[in-house]
Amino acid sequence: ECFMILSWVTYGILVLLILFGGKFAFGRGKFNDDFLSLEATKCLRGLAAIGVILHHISQEGAFQKVRELSPFVNAGFYFVAIFFFCSGFGLIKSLKSKPNYFDGFLKNRVLKTIVVPFYVCVLIYGIYKLIIGVKMPVAHWITNLLGLTLMNDYAWYPIVLAILYIAFYFIFKYVKNRKLCFALMFLVIFAQGVFFAVTGHFAWWAGEQNWWLQPNGWANAQWWMHQKIMWFFGEWWVNSSIAFFIGMIYANFEEKIVAWFKKCYWMKLVALLVLWMTFNFISGMAQWKLGYWSEYSGKGPGVFNKFVCYLSQLPQVTFFVLFVFTTMMKFYSVNPITKFFGNVSYETYMMNLMALELFRFLLYKNQNGRNMPFYNAGNYNLAIYAVAVLAGTVLLGLMYRFLNNQAKKLIK
């Protein structure tokens, strides 16, 4: 069979998307002064949105078995880091440029932009689960509808974003010392990482020691004890949000930072790349030797292991976003495709899980009561699945956007 064709075609398309509409600043001392413009960052978010979709597709068992799109399997936090950076950057830029910025902030930036779309998503996925016959305890349905647990597993991002926005509002509105404001924002983000390290991936504390390793451990566990149930049950909740803080710092000191990078630009860009790759290696080693999923080592919840892995990812994410935005000083691209995905990046993110599930019949067949991957000649069914998921995600995202806009009209 002809393996990896899908991967290489995908890589080629992504390279073309990056180059299409590219704006180069050739020559010594020449830079793109608009590399942090709304248009440039929107197109970057569009690329990140496509990356998130490919990340989720690559995590399907059928893809992992033949290693199609394998570079995307563990790269999701990088793409989400770009969203966090842009959000943090935008808040500080708006705070510095708009008088009375906090007037109506909670209503317009939190309620209308995050909370309402979150609960519209809850209702969409709730109806979807009812239609396909998902069985859940009544209490689980209630907590899902309330948003205390996740109806949509990918909906952790708006929860974290809402927490950061609310923290930003109260800290920057009521604390006059700006240095203290930034320190407190860092502590809010860091506290979330610590909280995950303690809580882990499931309710390890709700039973006898290592109950989840027992033969019938999961079968005897209550529904709320399982994985991906409670808030912050997973490293993906915390390992990229440091980029929000970096975006805030960048916006606050934008002129000084940009001016500093312009001096000996190439040396500093290479230094950022080396630092990113160094901490990428360190983080990889930490996760290999210690691991986020340390509950399965047989030594309890493994809080220390998780915390070390989290600490190793803070500089990894920091130097990644700095490298990306420093690169944009010399090159970035603006084109209709990435701009479109940038406009619907949130919507496609929230609807991606439904598209992944709806088209899984293209990947798996029931064999002896189990859904097992199957491959047509050349793995073309994987390619069809990837295209179907991408198209389905966009269509569902546009539907979701329409419903969001209708719901927002109800709030005056």
Side-chain angles (χ1 to χ4, degrees):
E1 293 186 7
C2 188
F3 296 133
M4 305 304 291
I5 291 179
L6 171 61
S7 295
W8 289 108
V9 169
T10 301
Y11 306 151
I13 292 173
L14 287 176
V15 170
L16 290 175
L17 275 179
I18 293 172
L19 295 177
F20 178 34
K23 185 176 181 180
F24 296 87
F26 288 118
R28 186 176 182 181
K30 292 185 177 181
F31 297 92
N32 293 316
D33 292 328
D34 58 349
F35 75 101
L36 286 169
S37 66
L38 182 61
E39 185 178 52
T41 54
K42 181 177 292 184
C43 288
L44 178 65
R45 292 199 306 271
L47 282 171
I50 295 171
V52 168
I53 295 171
L54 292 173
H55 163 65
H56 290 149
I57 291 173
S58 72
Q59 290 191 319
E60 290 290 327
F63 281 77
Q64 293 197 39
K65 190 171 183 179
V66 292
R67 298 185 179 180
E68 287 280 16
L69 303 178
S70 57
F72 292 94
V73 172
N74 297 312
F77 71 100
Y78 280 135
F79 303 122
V80 178
I82 290 173
F83 295 132
F84 274 125
F85 180 96
C86 292
S87 294
F89 182 88
L91 286 183
I92 297 298
K93 288 285 287 186
S94 297
L95 178 63
K96 294 175 70 174
S97 62
K98 297 178 180 179
N100 304 317
Y101 179 57
F102 287 121
D103 292 349
F105 181 90
L106 292 179
K107 177 182 177 182
N108 297 319
R109 298 304 302 273
V110 178
L111 181 62
K112 285 188 174 183
T113 307
I114 303 175
V115 176
V116 170
F118 174 82
Y119 282 102
V120 171
C121 178
V122 167
L123 291 176
I124 292 173
Y125 273 83
I127 295 170
Y128 163 69
K129 288 178 182 289
L130 283 173
I131 292 172
I132 65 174
V134 172
K135 303 295 183 182
M136 284 190 292
V138 173
H140 196 182
W141 275 107
I142 293 172
T143 58
N144 274 354
L145 290 169
L146 291 174
L148 302 176
T149 54
L150 297 183
M151 190 77 79
N152 170 8
D153 287 347
Y154 296 167
W156 62 267
Y157 174 76
I159 294 173
V160 175
L161 196 63
I163 292 171
L164 295 178
Y165 272 43
I166 293 170
F168 166 80
Y169 172 79
F170 284 104
I171 291 171
F172 278 81
K173 183 175 182 179
Y174 296 108
V175 178
K176 302 305 179 183
N177 186 314
R178 280 292 179 256
K179 290 183 178 178
L180 179 58
C181 287
F182 283 103
L184 290 173
M185 283 301 302
F186 174 80
L187 288 177
V188 169
I189 293 170
F190 189 73
Q192 293 175 9
V194 174
F195 183 71
F196 155 70
V198 174
T199 58
H201 294 94
F202 47 82
W204 56 266
W205 38 266
E208 62 183 38
Q209 186 175 11
N210 294 333
W211 61 261
W212 56 93
L213 297 177
Q214 305 303 317
N216 295 317
W218 289 110
N220 296 328
Q222 298 292 321
W223 64 267
W224 51 268
M225 297 166 62
H226 284 245
Q227 298 172 13
K228 296 183 179 181
I229 299 295
M230 300 297 184
W231 286 13
F232 292 94
F233 269 17
E235 67 274 7
W236 50 90
W237 285 73
V238 300
N239 62 0
S240 59
S241 56
I242 187 63
F244 186 92
F245 177 75
I246 303 303
M248 295 176 67
I249 294 293
Y250 204 113
N252 194 62
F253 301 103
E254 182 182 353
E255 291 184 6
K256 292 180 179 179
I257 291 173
V258 172
W260 186 81
F261 275 115
K262 284 182 177 180
K263 298 176 182 178
C264 303
Y265 172 83
W266 291 108
M267 181 182 72
K268 291 172 181 176
L269 183 67
V270 171
L272 284 176
L273 178 61
V274 171
L275 287 167
W276 170 31
M277 288 294 100
T278 299
F279 282 102
N280 188 64
F281 174 78
I282 291 172
S283 175
M285 290 297 294
Q287 293 181 55
W288 179 43
K289 295 290 186 179
L290 299 173
Y292 274 122
W293 290 83
S294 45
E295 296 95 342
Y296 292 95
S297 66
K299 300 178 181 179
V303 175
F304 175 78
N305 292 32
K306 293 178 180 60
F307 185 61
V308 171
C309 289
Y310 170 68
L311 288 180
S312 72
Q313 289 205 277
L314 296 182
Q316 180 189 17
V317 170
T318 296
F319 288 117
F320 165 72
V321 293
L322 288 176
F323 175 76
V324 168
F325 285 94
T326 304
T327 299
M328 290 175 67
M329 293 173 65
K330 281 289 185 180
F331 169 79
Y332 71 84
S333 66
V334 172
N335 63 68
I337 298 173
T338 54
K339 188 181 294 187
F340 168 78
F341 276 96
N343 283 326
V344 295
S345 58
Y346 181 80
E347 290 84 354
T348 55
Y349 173 84
M350 295 293 275
M351 290 293 106
N352 190 210
L353 179 60
M354 189 179 297
L356 289 164
E357 293 181 352
L358 286 173
F359 293 105
R360 278 180 181 153
F361 68 89
L362 294 168
L363 298 181
Y364 306 102
K365 285 184 177 178
N366 191 292
Q367 297 178 9
N368 299 321
R370 297 179 61 192
N371 286 328
M372 302 296 292
F374 76 95
Y375 308 98
N376 288 315
N379 294 345
Y380 71 81
N381 61 313
L382 271 66
I384 294 173
Y385 176 79
V387 172
V389 167
L390 182 62
T393 298
V394 170
L395 292 175
L396 289 168
L398 292 174
M399 175 203 71
Y400 175 48
R401 187 174 195 176
F402 172 78
L403 294 175
N404 282 338
N405 291 335
Q406 299 306 307
K408 290 175 185 177
K409 291 178 181 179
L410 300 176
I411 301 175
K412 297 181 180 180

